[in-house]
Amino acid sequence: MDSSGSMSTLVVLLLSLTMVLAEEIRQPRAAPHTGGGHPTKNYGDALHKSILFFDAQRSGKLPANNPISWRHDSALHDCVVGGWYDAGDNVKFGFPMAASTTLLLWGLNQFHDGYQQAHQTNQMYDMVKWPLDYFLAAWNPHNKHLVVQVGDGNADHSFWGRPEDMTMNRPCYSIQPGKPGSDVAGETAAALAAGSIAFHGKDAAYSTKLLNAAESLYAFAKSNRGIYSQSVHEAAQFYSSSGDKDEMCVAAMWLYKATHQSKYLNDAKGFHENAWAWALSWDDKKIACQILLYGQTHDNQYKTEIEGFFNGWLPGGQITYTPCGLAWRDKWGSNRYAANAAFAALVAAEEGVMTAKLRPWAIEQINYMLGDNSHMGSTCYSYEIGFGSHFPQQPHHRGASCTANCPGDALHSPHPNPHQLTGALVGGPDQHDHYQDKREDYVMNEVACDYNAGFQSALAGIEHLIKTNNFPPTHNKCACH
């Protein structure tokens, strides 16, 4: 072979090697192996029950396979029918509903084998399609009009009764050109894009429908930047966002994962904030943005930010710990913040970030919620209703606390709720592990879609570790027996 032929062969080999290396960079890094631990909880049962909680939150005309016997059709005359009631009330708040849906779908996409391990795959798809259908109905791409809330929070909160018995006016709040809300629009686009990935192999036509809606809604959000609380003042008294960059970053990342179009990755990098998140919550998704970016780029800048966040959350950092070991961020939904951080930790660990530390820490946080907390001397007190034999009986929830023609004193009744709100994760204890099961105490006993979202996704992550023989040794301070 002459020299020119040798040179051509060399060029081809170099190009092939470059393509192989590029493909390796795009592939997720294999997390270090952990293992040797023994599960102490039935995480699959906890996952199954969490799905039932979301089914209990359904608004609209319920399907024939409705698994919650005490729930019936409600709010059939809403401007957009369907979706989830937010918490123990009967308002449909689009912002936390979308944030919850995104977090749940992230868990399904990341830990699909965890749902298989728990035999809950079909139940999960059925459950999570409910809010996705609602978002599709709430977004009109032709008029660029997105409904972001149904119901008056103040009027609703003055009524203690079942959603089936509501008679008050339920106003409809929306955003549109000239009336922006890129925070809620971005988060809703993220949910739709994550949903398109989840349904890609299950229902291709539905997946495409979700993706088309996600792309048009994202484009609207990008062209109409602004916080929805500044546009729809009446609707934002309860969930006012601190900014939109984190939602826009998460939306761009899920669209990139769904389409592989570089414009979305470039957008996400532009929306990225080089800062440590206060927590992972319905409002603050900086850590979600950073984890998603690192998963696609393996850029050490994002890894440093992720490590900084978790070094603040691990023992010895900035987070208060209860005597029994709950990472206690705030009194409002203390379990929720720890559960969300646990899920984020499990995802980061999959990317090889602090794997040996984050996996056991995340499991220990969930173990605390499922019983390892020495509550008032009892054993195995679960903060998830229906899990185990000791759990809250009086969650702050209208539907569960009422029968038909709800008596006026139902809120103040000293008796257990007539209906068990199976799977709901209650707000949780104070920083001293103290907890009171009292319906009137809406700090400790509130339930909400966003309380369960990260919790459920963390459970799927733990099931994934069990399935792959990566369940590490854990050491809860107050392990129950």
Side-chain angles (χ1 to χ4, degrees), residues 361-412:
W361 176 83
I363 296 169
E364 288 160 6
Q365 292 303 301
I366 300 301
N367 282 349
Y368 178 100
M369 297 168 209
L370 295 179
D372 290 348
N373 50 52
S374 294
H375 171 66
M376 298 176 65
S378 69
T379 58
C380 295
Y381 189 89
S382 169
Y383 286 110
E384 184 189 25
I385 297 170
F387 183 85
S389 56
H390 302 284
F391 49 81
Q393 304 293 315
Q394 294 189 33
H396 186 85
H397 189 274
R398 288 159 177 76
S401 70
C402 286
T403 55
N405 301 313
C406 191
D409 63 348
L411 171 61
H412 309 290

Side-chain angles (χ1 to χ4, degrees), residues 175-209:
I175 57 174
Q176 57 199 43
K179 195 178 179 183
S182 46
D183 46 0
V184 64
E187 187 61 48
T188 308
L192 291 165
S196 74
I197 296 172
F199 280 88
H200 180 72
K202 187 175 181 63
D203 186 336
Y206 187 65
S207 172
T208 299
K209 189 175 182 179

Side-chain angles (χ1 to χ4, degrees), residues 44 46-47 66 78 81 93 98 101 127 134 146 194 226 292 315 348 356 373 420 430 443 447 452 458:
L47 177 58
N66 167 39
D78 281 355
V81 176
F93 292 106
T101 305
M127 178 271 277
Y134 174 80
L146 176 69
L292 288 167
N373 50 52
Q420 181 174 295
D430 67 14
V443 176
V447 296
N452 266 73

Side-chain angles (χ1 to χ4, degrees), residues 412-435:
H412 309 290
S413 170
H415 303 295
N417 288 352
H419 305 297
Q420 181 174 295
L421 190 61
T422 300
L425 182 72
V426 299
D430 67 14
Q431 64 267 45
H432 306 294
D433 291 318
H434 296 154
Y435 169 77

